[in-house]
């Protein structure tokens, strides 16, 4: 009986660890079950494609991820030169924070950021960006 309980406990721990890995909570290199991937895992990945005075004022998930940069260039770069000003960066940050905050607690989690980036990217692709 004790051996069965230990076996069940080991199985539970093993499955619990796999489930958290499956959803990308442990390692951002893992894909989600639906085939998507976490695009933001905390930290600043650098400003790869957005320039201008406002680039350094963007939140890291907008400036340092490809979906975030596509969103900025498609929606907030009015003259389409790859550069944004400080005022447009602030507008982009505020818009994305409201868009991604699912529970309206005024705090973004990595899961909310990832979901927001994925949904924004899908909407941009539907529009041809």
């Amino acid at each position: 009986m004790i051996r069965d309980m230990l076996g069940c406990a080991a199985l539970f721990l093993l499955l619990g660890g796999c489930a958290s890995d499956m959803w990308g909570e442990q390692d951002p290199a893992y894909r989600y079950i639906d085939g998507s991937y976490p695009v933001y895992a905390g930290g600043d990945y650098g400003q790869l494609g957005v320039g201008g005075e406002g680039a350094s004022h963007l939140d890291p998930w907008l400036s340092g991820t490809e979906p975030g940069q596509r969103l900025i260039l498609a929606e907030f770069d009015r003259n389409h030169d790859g550069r944004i000003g400080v005022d447009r960066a602030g507008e982009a940050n505020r818009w994305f924070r409201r868009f991604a905050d699912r529970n309206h607690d005024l705090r973004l989690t990595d899961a909310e950021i990832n979901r927001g980036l994925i949904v924004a990217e899908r909407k941009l692709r539907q529009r041809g960006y």
Side-chain angles (χ1 to χ4, degrees), residues 11-40:
L11 183 62
F12 178 77
L13 289 175
L14 177 66
L15 290 177
C18 291
S20 64
D21 285 351
M22 221 169 25
W23 290 101
E25 295 171 7
Q26 301 284 331
D27 185 354
Y30 289 157
R31 291 182 174 268
Y32 294 125
I33 286 177
D34 68 354
S36 65
Y37 56 92
V39 291
Y40 181 74

Side-chain angles (χ1 to χ4, degrees), residues 28 38-48 60-61 63-66 69 114:
V39 291
Y40 181 74
D44 185 359
Y45 299 134
Q47 293 128 14
L48 303 174
W61 45 84
S63 66
T65 63
E66 288 183 31
Q69 291 175 17
N114 281 317

Side-chain angles (χ1 to χ4, degrees), residues 28-120:
Y30 289 157
R31 291 182 174 268
Y32 294 125
I33 286 177
D34 68 354
S36 65
Y37 56 92
V39 291
Y40 181 74
D44 185 359
Y45 299 134
Q47 293 128 14
L48 303 174
V50 179
E53 295 175 8
S56 61
H57 295 274
L58 287 170
D59 289 334
W61 45 84
L62 294 177
S63 66
T65 63
E66 288 183 31
Q69 291 175 17
R70 276 195 292 276
L71 174 68
I72 296 301
L73 295 174
E75 298 295 328
F76 297 97
D77 179 17
R78 295 226 170 140
N79 59 357
H80 305 289
D81 65 350
R83 303 169 59 80
I84 63 167
V86 175
D87 57 334
R88 299 293 287 166
E91 184 180 332
N93 289 336
R94 286 186 300 278
W95 180 88
F96 186 81
R97 290 172 191 165
R98 278 188 234 126
F99 176 74
D101 189 13
R102 299 278 295 167
N103 57 3
H104 308 292
D105 65 351
L106 302 178
R107 292 183 298 167
L108 289 179
T109 64
D110 283 352
E112 288 175 322
I113 293 168
N114 281 317
R115 185 198 167 280
L117 288 171
I118 290 168
V119 170

